[in-house]
Amino acid sequence: MSWQRPVQHIDRKDLYTNLEARIQYLHTFLDFSSNDIEALISGSKYIKALIPAVVNIVYHKLLQYDITARAFQTRSTSFEGPLDEFPDDNSPQILHRKMFLRGYLNRLCSDPSKLEFWEYLDKVGMMHVGRGREHPLHVEYVHIGACLSFIQDVLTEALLSHPRLPLQRKIALVKAIGKVIWIQNDLFAKWYVKDGEEFADEIAQVNIEREGYLHGKKVITGEGSGSESESDKENKGNASSPKSPTSRIPVSPKIAGSPSLSGSCPFQGMAKGVAEMKVEADRDADTQQSKEVMTPPRSPTPTNKKAESS
């Protein structure tokens, strides 16, 4: 007996021993295509404008529960500064972790047509189960899934509330970033679940590297997008508009008009929580001299507070 219609064969063993094969399967299943890559590249400046605020909102949420705040009460990262026993939004260890989350979210705005993009997302998953780190970090999966969903929710609301982006671009961008986040979710889950454990002996050995490094190269910069990673530097200089090998879409090495993460936070009123937030985003590069403000549906009343520093 055989299938009466064309069916693509997926090798189960490859899903657990070959990251590239797993990514290709997820791409085809989710219809992650050059259209999604184009949406992410062209819309990355809008995502980058939201990153400082998203980071603040995420850590504000994590500190609302003792079970998630507990991860910041022990020295489980490379941070060597003082530890507050009961951390808040401005505790030294929280500011340190915010720096890496900013860098990670900026990494999501790089070129997803390259395997290195997904290799780093896979490494992020591995690091949260205590592997590949000099200082093991263990975070239970229930909190990982909830946090990813929360990040997607905040980004979706902010992007759909943008007053200047055409509806079709909003839809394309929200769909693309949603697919990336769900693939990241899978690359977390693969390190937590026991599926495929019979192939454990054939999985490549894990190498211990410093935080923000992949294959010995620095891929997450110390202050988010304010400086370049080594892989970013390697990609510069080949052409004014290098092309993605998969999507064939021009990729600008540096997107004009994208704000520095060291600047003001585009979400205002963060001290009062997510319920009273205001969003500011840069316009397109040709009109970046002016500012535009968008208020997501969450905010019942506007706030007049000055933007917080990221």
Side-chain angles (χ1 to χ4, degrees), residues 214-264:
L214 177 67
H215 304 321
K217 295 191 302 182
K218 188 174 184 180
V219 295
I220 296 296
T221 60
E223 291 297 335
S225 64
S227 55
E228 297 176 314
S229 67
E230 292 178 15
S231 58
D232 290 335
K233 291 178 181 178
E234 290 178 1
N235 291 333
K236 295 188 71 173
N238 295 330
S240 58
S241 296
K243 294 190 176 182
S244 161
T246 299
S247 67
R248 300 182 183 178
I249 300 167
V251 184
S252 176
K254 184 176 182 181
I255 299 176
S258 59
S260 170
L261 291 188
S262 60
S264 62

Coordinates of all heavy atoms in Angstrom, one line a residue, residues 214-264:
L214 N 28.4 32.2 19.8 CA 28.0 31.0 19.0 C 29.2 30.6 18.2 O 29.7 31.4 17.4 CB 26.8 31.3 18.1 CG 26.3 30.2 17.2 CD1 25.8 29.1 18.0 CD2 25.3 30.7 16.2
H215 N 29.7 29.4 18.3 CA 30.8 28.8 17.6 C 32.0 29.7 17.8 O 32.8 30.0 16.9 CB 30.5 28.7 16.1 CG 29.3 27.8 15.8 ND1 29.0 26.7 16.5 CD2 28.3 28.0 14.9 CE1 27.9 26.2 16.0 NE2 27.5 26.9 15.1
G216 N 32.2 30.3 19.0 CA 33.3 31.1 19.3 C 33.2 32.6 18.9 O 34.1 33.4 19.1
K217 N 32.2 32.9 18.2 CA 32.0 34.3 17.7 C 30.9 35.0 18.6 O 29.9 34.4 19.0 CB 31.5 34.3 16.3 CG 32.5 33.8 15.3 CD 32.1 34.1 13.9 CE 30.8 33.5 13.5 NZ 30.4 33.8 12.1
K218 N 31.1 36.3 18.8 CA 30.2 37.0 19.6 C 29.0 37.4 18.7 O 29.2 38.1 17.7 CB 30.8 38.3 20.2 CG 30.0 39.1 21.2 CD 30.8 40.2 21.8 CE 29.9 40.9 22.8 NZ 30.7 42.1 23.5
V219 N 27.8 37.0 19.1 CA 26.6 37.2 18.3 C 25.6 38.1 19.0 O 24.7 38.7 18.4 CB 25.9 35.9 17.8 CG1 26.8 35.1 16.9 CG2 25.5 35.1 19.0
I220 N 25.8 38.3 20.3 CA 24.9 39.2 21.1 C 25.8 40.3 21.6 O 26.7 40.0 22.4 CB 24.2 38.5 22.2 CG1 23.2 37.5 21.6 CG2 23.4 39.5 23.1 CD1 22.1 38.1 20.7
T221 N 25.6 41.5 21.3 CA 26.5 42.6 21.7 C 26.1 43.0 23.1 O 25.0 42.8 23.6 CB 26.3 43.8 20.8 OG1 25.0 44.2 20.7 CG2 26.8 43.4 19.4
G222 N 27.0 43.7 23.8 CA 26.8 44.1 25.2 C 25.6 45.0 25.4 O 25.0 45.0 26.4
E223 N 25.3 45.9 24.5 CA 24.3 46.9 24.7 C 23.3 46.8 23.6 O 22.9 47.9 23.0 CB 24.9 48.3 24.8 CG 25.7 48.5 26.1 CD 24.9 48.3 27.3 OE1 23.6 48.5 27.3 OE2 25.4 48.0 28.4
G224 N 22.9 45.7 23.2 CA 21.8 45.6 22.1 C 22.3 46.0 20.8 O 23.4 45.5 20.3
S225 N 21.6 46.8 20.1 CA 22.0 47.2 18.7 C 23.0 48.4 18.7 O 23.3 48.9 17.6 CB 20.7 47.6 17.9 OG 20.1 48.7 18.5
G226 N 23.5 48.8 19.8 CA 24.4 49.9 19.8 C 25.7 49.6 19.2 O 26.5 50.5 18.8
S227 N 26.1 48.3 19.2 CA 27.3 47.9 18.6 C 27.1 46.7 17.8 O 26.1 46.0 17.9 CB 28.4 47.7 19.7 OG 27.9 46.7 20.6
E228 N 28.1 46.2 17.0 CA 27.9 45.1 16.1 C 28.5 43.9 16.7 O 29.5 43.9 17.4 CB 28.6 45.5 14.8 CG 28.0 46.7 14.0 CD 28.8 47.0 12.8 OE1 30.1 47.0 12.9 OE2 28.2 47.2 11.7
S229 N 27.9 42.8 16.3 CA 28.5 41.5 16.6 C 29.5 41.1 15.6 O 29.6 41.8 14.5 CB 27.4 40.4 16.6 OG 26.8 40.2 15.3
E230 N 30.3 40.1 15.9 CA 31.3 39.7 14.9 C 30.7 39.2 13.6 O 31.2 39.5 12.5 CB 32.2 38.6 15.5 CG 33.1 39.2 16.7 CD 33.9 38.1 17.3 OE1 34.0 37.0 16.7 OE2 34.4 38.3 18.4
S231 N 29.6 38.5 13.7 CA 29.0 38.0 12.5 C 28.4 39.1 11.6 O 28.4 39.1 10.4 CB 27.9 37.0 12.8 OG 26.9 37.6 13.6
D232 N 27.9 40.2 12.3 CA 27.4 41.4 11.6 C 28.5 42.0 10.8 O 28.4 42.5 9.7 CB 26.8 42.4 12.6 CG 25.5 41.8 13.1 OD1 24.8 41.0 12.5 OD2 25.1 42.3 14.2
K233 N 29.7 42.1 11.5 CA 30.8 42.8 10.8 C 31.3 42.0 9.6 O 31.7 42.6 8.6 CB 32.0 42.9 11.8 CG 31.7 43.9 12.9 CD 32.9 43.9 13.9 CE 32.6 44.9 15.1 NZ 33.8 44.9 16.0
E234 N 31.2 40.7 9.7 CA 31.6 39.8 8.5 C 30.7 40.0 7.4 O 31.1 39.9 6.2 CB 31.6 38.4 9.0 CG 32.7 38.0 9.9 CD 32.7 36.6 10.3 OE1 31.8 35.9 9.8 OE2 33.5 36.1 11.1
N235 N 29.4 40.4 7.6 CA 28.4 40.5 6.6 C 28.5 41.9 5.9 O 27.9 42.1 4.9 CB 27.0 40.3 7.1 CG 26.8 38.9 7.5 OD1 27.4 38.0 7.0 ND2 25.9 38.6 8.5
K236 N 29.3 42.8 6.5 CA 29.3 44.2 5.9 C 30.5 44.2 4.9 O 31.5 43.5 5.0 CB 29.6 45.2 7.0 CG 28.4 45.3 8.0 CD 28.6 46.5 9.0 CE 28.4 47.8 8.3 NZ 28.4 48.9 9.2
G237 N 30.3 45.1 4.0 CA 31.4 45.4 3.0 C 31.3 44.6 1.7 O 32.0 45.0 0.8
N238 N 30.6 43.6 1.7 CA 30.5 42.8 0.4 C 29.8 43.5 -0.7 O 30.1 43.5 -1.8 CB 29.8 41.5 0.7 CG 30.6 40.6 1.6 OD1 31.8 40.7 1.7 ND2 29.9 39.7 2.4
A239 N 28.7 44.2 -0.3 CA 27.9 45.0 -1.2 C 27.0 46.0 -0.5 O 26.8 45.8 0.7 CB 27.0 44.1 -2.1
S240 N 26.6 47.0 -1.1 CA 25.7 48.0 -0.4 C 24.4 47.4 0.0 O 23.8 47.8 0.9 CB 25.5 49.2 -1.3 OG 24.9 48.8 -2.5
S241 N 23.9 46.4 -0.8 CA 22.7 45.7 -0.5 C 22.9 44.2 -0.7 O 22.5 43.7 -1.7 CB 21.5 46.2 -1.4 OG 21.3 47.6 -1.1
P242 N 23.6 43.5 0.3 CA 23.8 42.1 0.1 C 22.4 41.4 0.1 O 21.4 41.9 0.7 CB 24.5 41.8 1.4 CG 24.2 42.8 2.4 CD 24.0 44.1 1.5
K243 N 22.4 40.2 -0.5 CA 21.1 39.5 -0.7 C 21.1 38.2 0.1 O 22.1 37.5 0.3 CB 20.9 39.2 -2.2 CG 20.7 40.4 -3.0 CD 20.2 40.1 -4.4 CE 19.9 41.3 -5.2 NZ 19.4 41.0 -6.6
S244 N 20.0 38.0 0.7 CA 19.8 36.7 1.4 C 19.9 35.6 0.5 O 19.2 35.6 -0.6 CB 18.4 36.8 2.1 OG 18.0 35.5 2.5
P245 N 20.6 34.5 0.8 CA 20.8 33.4 -0.1 C 19.5 32.6 -0.3 O 19.4 32.0 -1.4 CB 21.8 32.5 0.6 CG 21.7 32.9 2.1 CD 21.4 34.3 2.1
T246 N 18.6 32.7 0.6 CA 17.3 31.9 0.4 C 16.3 32.8 -0.2 O 15.6 32.4 -1.2 CB 16.8 31.4 1.7 OG1 17.8 30.5 2.3 CG2 15.5 30.6 1.6
S247 N 16.0 34.0 0.3 CA 14.9 34.8 -0.1 C 15.2 35.7 -1.3 O 14.4 36.2 -2.0 CB 14.5 35.7 1.0 OG 15.5 36.6 1.3
R248 N 16.5 35.9 -1.5 CA 17.0 36.8 -2.6 C 16.5 38.2 -2.4 O 16.3 39.0 -3.4 CB 16.6 36.3 -4.0 CG 17.1 34.9 -4.3 CD 16.7 34.4 -5.7 NE 17.2 33.1 -5.9 CZ 17.0 32.4 -7.1 NH1 16.3 33.0 -8.0 NH2 17.5 31.2 -7.2
I249 N 16.2 38.6 -1.2 CA 15.7 39.9 -0.9 C 16.9 40.7 -0.4 O 17.6 40.3 0.5 CB 14.6 39.8 0.2 CG1 13.5 38.9 -0.3 CG2 14.1 41.2 0.7 CD1 12.5 38.5 0.8
P250 N 17.0 42.0 -0.9 CA 18.1 42.8 -0.4 C 18.0 43.0 1.1 O 17.0 43.3 1.6 CB 17.9 44.1 -1.2 CG 17.1 43.8 -2.4 CD 16.2 42.6 -1.9
V251 N 19.2 42.8 1.7 CA 19.2 43.0 3.2 C 20.2 44.2 3.5 O 21.4 44.1 3.2 CB 19.8 41.7 3.9 CG1 19.7 41.9 5.4 CG2 18.9 40.5 3.5
S252 N 19.7 45.2 4.1 CA 20.5 46.3 4.4 C 21.4 46.0 5.6 O 20.8 45.5 6.6 CB 19.7 47.6 4.7 OG 20.5 48.6 5.1
P253 N 22.7 46.2 5.6 CA 23.5 45.9 6.7 C 23.1 46.6 8.0 O 23.2 46.2 9.1 CB 25.0 46.3 6.3 CG 24.9 46.3 4.8 CD 23.5 46.7 4.4
K254 N 22.7 47.9 7.8 CA 22.2 48.7 8.9 C 21.0 49.4 8.4 O 21.1 50.2 7.4 CB 23.3 49.6 9.4 CG 22.9 50.4 10.6 CD 24.0 51.3 11.1 CE 23.6 52.0 12.4 NZ 24.6 52.9 12.9
I255 N 19.9 49.3 9.1 CA 18.6 49.9 8.6 C 18.6 51.3 9.1 O 18.7 51.6 10.3 CB 17.4 49.1 9.2 CG1 17.5 47.7 8.7 CG2 16.1 49.8 8.8 CD1 16.4 46.8 9.2
A256 N 18.5 52.2 8.1 CA 18.5 53.6 8.5 C 17.3 54.0 9.3 O 16.2 53.5 9.0 CB 18.5 54.5 7.2
G257 N 17.5 54.8 10.3 CA 16.3 55.3 11.0 C 16.0 54.5 12.2 O 15.1 54.8 13.0
S258 N 16.6 53.3 12.4 CA 16.3 52.5 13.5 C 16.9 53.1 14.8 O 18.1 53.4 14.7 CB 16.8 51.0 13.3 OG 18.2 51.0 13.2
P259 N 16.2 53.2 15.8 CA 16.7 53.9 17.0 C 17.7 53.1 17.8 O 17.7 51.9 17.8 CB 15.4 54.1 17.8 CG 14.5 53.0 17.4 CD 14.8 52.8 16.0
S260 N 18.6 53.8 18.5 CA 19.5 53.2 19.3 C 18.8 52.7 20.6 O 18.0 53.4 21.1 CB 20.7 54.2 19.7 OG 21.5 53.6 20.7
L261 N 19.2 51.5 21.1 CA 18.6 51.0 22.3 C 19.0 51.8 23.5 O 18.5 51.6 24.6 CB 19.0 49.5 22.4 CG 18.4 48.6 21.4 CD1 18.7 47.2 21.8 CD2 16.9 48.8 21.2
S262 N 20.1 52.6 23.4 CA 20.5 53.4 24.5 C 19.6 54.6 24.6 O 19.8 55.4 25.6 CB 21.9 53.7 24.4 OG 22.2 54.5 23.2
G263 N 18.7 54.9 23.7 CA 17.9 56.1 23.7 C 16.7 55.9 24.5 O 16.6 54.9 25.3
S264 N 15.7 56.7 24.3 CA 14.5 56.7 25.2 C 13.7 55.5 24.8 O 13.6 55.0 23.7 CB 13.7 58.0 25.0 OG 13.3 58.1 23.7

